[in-house]
Amino acid sequence: IVLFENVSKTYRMGEVDVAALDHVSLSISQGAFTALVGPSGSGKTTALNLIGCLDRPSQGEVTVAGRAIGPMGRRESAEFRGKTLGFVFQDFNLLPVLTVYENVEYPLLMIRDVPKGEHKPAVDRVLAAVGMADQAGKYPAQLSGGQKQRVAIGRALVGKPALVLADEPTANLDGATAHKVVELMKQMRDEFGTTFVFSTHDPRIMDQAEVTFHLEDGRLIDGPAVGKE
Amino acid sequence: IVLFENVSKTYRMGEVDVAALDHVSLSISQGAFTALVGPSGSGKTTALNLIGCLDRPSQGEVTVAGRAIGPMGRRESAEFRGKTLGFVFQDFNLLPVLTVYENVEYPLLMIRDVPKGEHKPAVDRVLAAVGMADQAGKYPAQLSGGQKQRVAIGRALVGKPALVLADEPTANLDGATAHKVVELMKQMRDEFGTTFVFSTHDPRIMDQAEVTFHLEDGRLIDGPAVGKE
Ligand SMILES: Nc1ncnc2c1ncn2[C@@H]1O[C@H](COP(=O)(O)OP(=O)(O)OP(=O)(O)O)[C@@H](O)[C@H]1O
Ligand SMILES: Nc1ncnc2c1ncn2[C@@H]1O[C@H](COP(=O)(O)OP(=O)(O)OP(=O)(O)O)[C@@H](O)[C@H]1O
Ligand SMILES: [Mg+2]
Ligand SMILES: [Mg+2]
């Protein structure tokens, strides 16, 4: 469902080029519970942003669910994201003027043409699953860090997208809550075939992955088929 | 260096009162390497904000470095914070219009009357210690999550304050980098007697603490002298 062919992402800093990703080639199968690991600054967020069509590679090809994302225009990629993807951002990115409920409902309104009557059951179910049902009326400013993170997770899952990208989704969660979140994701994968690709520094979450890619300084240094010619 | 006497922090939500902290009494000795642990939403950030004079209790007394923080006015608490405290925020709170170097230098400019000539050595030393020396000219928007977190840590330490409060300071860091940060903090405590109070969900960091307080639903459920009458 995801293919990187010799992908590089470079930022120009004055006279120097910073390679956030450096000739990365990988493929992710539909339904694979996939972890991206590596030191701080190694390129995990950059990779997730490319898969999520939020950014374009400087070199190489990125293909997601059969679509080449390099040539996509802004409108086209926004529509593609709405229909196919769910994204949990490293800094959550909740809308401050919407309540917890409204933040989670948002993807259903935007692109998925879900009948209004079906919103409430879907939102309530996902809020309960991340333990935020009793906080549905609060605004993001009234939430703890881990509560915001869980609302962001709920928002990414509510539309049951084919592919969920999660950037350090348990960074601000205690062990028990983190475990519940991973269980929820695995359940969705088993029930709906959802593909999960998440970056993480948490060894307990790394253990739960079926496939793991290791990044270092923008290069892929380990993963299925890496170095196994 | 920190004393909580029957401290409560309550938020009014319509007709309901939410007790973010519920009759918490504790004391922290100068130089103690102290962890605050507990589930997401249990009150850790609330407690750190009270110690950091960023907020006032609804009930009870909070005393920091001999000063009662309840009666302090805004100007007085800002001055007290600048001289005595370093704070690593859960969401980093870097100034987007300043570079990495300038963000870390900021506390030295604001309140500490450190001669300009002494700024560069202090900032450079702390940037090197958190592995961000080569990124000194970047702006926060150009940094990874863990890089921002390390800049926030550097900023909290640069003025060598008596008390450092760190809210989940390793949440976005890989194991090796997290370990370096904890080593740096312990080194500062050994060399300067700095008191560190940090909240964390990371079991590897919890292991490093000398004193641990456990919160649940705003109540202190374990810690030195709790339940040991
Ligand atoms: N302004 C507010 N209005 C209402 N409730 C609030 C407000 N700020 C915090 N709370 C609530 O107080 C409780 C404690 O919040 P706090 O941020 O201290 O938790 P925490 O232990 O830091 O959690 P985490 O590990 O998720 O960061 C939470 O249930 C939170 O929703
Ligand atoms: N706009 C930018 N300009 C310059 N450099 C950038 C920019 N965005 C990212 N980088 C650099 O690219 C590298 C990879 O960043 P990325 O955010 O992908 O790392 P990461 O693996 O997600 O790290 P973390 O675990 O700390 O979140 C970092 O060194 C970062 O400083
Ligand atoms: Mg990142
Ligand atoms: Mg918190």
Side-chain angles (χ1 to χ4, degrees):
Chain A
I1 193 164
V2 177
L3 183 66
F4 275 36
E5 297 169 278
N6 210 23
V7 168
S8 292
K9 179 73 187 177
T10 310
Y11 295 102
R12 165 134 259 146
M13 304 287 303
E15 308 160 355
V16 185
D17 272 350
V18 173
L21 285 179
D22 195 352
H23 297 96
V24 175
S25 295
L26 59 81
S27 78
I28 298 172
S29 316
Q30 195 261 317
F33 207 68
T34 307
L36 264 186
V37 306
S40 170
S42 55
K44 304 178 296 299
T45 294
T46 305
L48 287 173
N49 286 346
L50 289 176
I51 302 172
C53 307
L54 294 164
D55 199 3
R56 288 201 194 103
S58 315
Q59 276 182 38
E61 297 277 332
V62 177
T63 310
V64 179
R67 305 277 299 274
I69 72 118
M72 268 194 210
R74 278 192 54 182
R75 186 184 177 83
E76 196 184 353
S77 60
E79 202 166 324
F80 177 66
R81 284 200 307 275
K83 290 210 175 77
T84 315
L85 305 175
F87 208 118
V88 186
F89 295 92
Q90 191 163 357
D91 62 0
F92 322 142
N93 241 343
L94 300 180
L95 297 170
V97 298
L98 299 185
T99 62
V100 163
Y101 181 94
E102 292 164 343
N103 263 286
V104 174
E105 185 193 31
Y106 196 78
L108 300 178
L109 296 171
M110 288 314 296
I111 300 196
R112 291 168 191 286
D113 310 319
V114 176
K116 196 81 169 118
E118 285 174 37
H119 286 189
K120 195 165 189 334
V123 175
D124 286 348
R125 187 178 325 126
V126 104
L127 283 179
V130 296
M132 291 295 296
D134 57 346
Q135 317 253 351
K138 278 187 167 179
Y139 288 89
Q142 299 169 314
L143 298 179
S144 77
Q147 289 170 338
K148 286 183 198 136
Q149 189 153 43
R150 285 183 273 160
V151 174
I153 291 164
R155 177 178 64 180
L157 303 182
V158 72
K160 298 193 183 91
L163 174 61
V164 174
L165 307 167
D167 204 346
E168 297 185 37
T170 63
N172 290 283
L173 301 179
D174 55 281
T177 310
H179 184 73
K180 282 212 215 91
V181 162
V182 175
E183 284 311 301
L184 171 66
M185 304 200 301
K186 282 198 156 168
Q187 216 169 45
M188 276 191 64
R189 189 279 306 269
D190 296 338
E191 205 175 331
F192 306 110
T194 314
T195 307
F196 284 90
V197 182
F198 51 94
S199 67
T200 186
H201 290 303
D202 189 337
R204 301 168 294 199
I205 311 306
M206 286 180 216
D207 283 350
Q208 298 280 329
E210 294 161 350
V211 178
T212 303
F213 292 99
H214 291 260
L215 286 172
E216 200 169 298
D217 288 328
R219 285 185 311 280
L220 190 66
I221 58 166
D222 201 12
V226 173
K228 298 166 193 156
E229 317 290 45
Chain B
I1 196 165
V2 177
L3 183 66
F4 275 35
E5 296 169 279
N6 210 24
V7 168
S8 292
K9 179 71 188 181
T10 311
Y11 295 102
R12 167 133 258 146
M13 304 287 304
E15 309 161 354
V16 186
D17 273 349
V18 172
L21 285 180
D22 195 352
H23 297 96
V24 174
S25 296
L26 59 81
S27 80
I28 297 172
S29 315
Q30 195 261 318
F33 206 70
T34 307
L36 263 187
V37 307
S40 170
S42 55
K44 304 179 294 299
T45 295
T46 304
L48 287 173
N49 286 345
L50 289 176
I51 302 172
C53 307
L54 294 163
D55 200 2
R56 288 202 194 102
S58 318
Q59 276 183 39
E61 297 276 333
V62 176
T63 310
V64 178
R67 305 277 298 275
I69 73 117
M72 269 194 208
R74 276 192 54 182
R75 185 185 177 82
E76 196 183 353
S77 58
E79 201 164 324
F80 177 67
R81 283 199 308 273
K83 290 207 176 75
T84 314
L85 305 175
F87 208 117
V88 186
F89 296 92
Q90 191 163 357
D91 60 2
F92 322 141
N93 241 342
L94 299 180
L95 297 170
V97 297
L98 298 184
T99 61
V100 164
Y101 181 93
E102 292 164 343
N103 263 287
V104 174
E105 185 193 29
Y106 196 76
L108 300 179
L109 296 171
M110 287 313 295
I111 301 197
R112 289 167 191 285
D113 310 320
V114 176
K116 195 81 169 119
E118 285 174 37
H119 286 190
K120 196 167 190 332
V123 175
D124 286 348
R125 188 178 323 127
V126 106
L127 283 179
V130 295
M132 291 295 297
D134 58 346
Q135 316 254 353
K138 278 187 166 180
Y139 288 89
Q142 299 169 314
L143 299 178
S144 77
Q147 289 170 339
K148 286 182 198 136
Q149 188 153 43
R150 284 182 272 161
V151 175
I153 291 165
R155 177 178 64 179
L157 303 183
V158 71
K160 297 193 183 91
L163 174 61
V164 173
L165 306 168
D167 204 344
E168 295 186 38
T170 63
N172 291 283
L173 301 178
D174 54 280
T177 310
H179 184 73
K180 281 211 215 89
V181 161
V182 175
E183 283 312 300
L184 170 66
M185 303 198 306
K186 283 199 154 166
Q187 217 170 43
M188 276 190 65
R189 189 278 307 268
D190 296 340
E191 205 174 333
F192 306 110
T194 314
T195 307
F196 283 90
V197 182
F198 51 95
S199 68
T200 186
H201 290 302
D202 189 339
R204 300 168 296 199
I205 311 306
M206 286 180 215
D207 283 351
Q208 298 279 330
E210 294 160 351
V211 178
T212 303
F213 292 99
H214 292 259
L215 286 172
E216 199 169 297
D217 288 329
R219 286 184 311 279
L220 189 66
I221 59 166
D222 201 11
V226 173
K228 298 165 194 157
E229 318 289 43

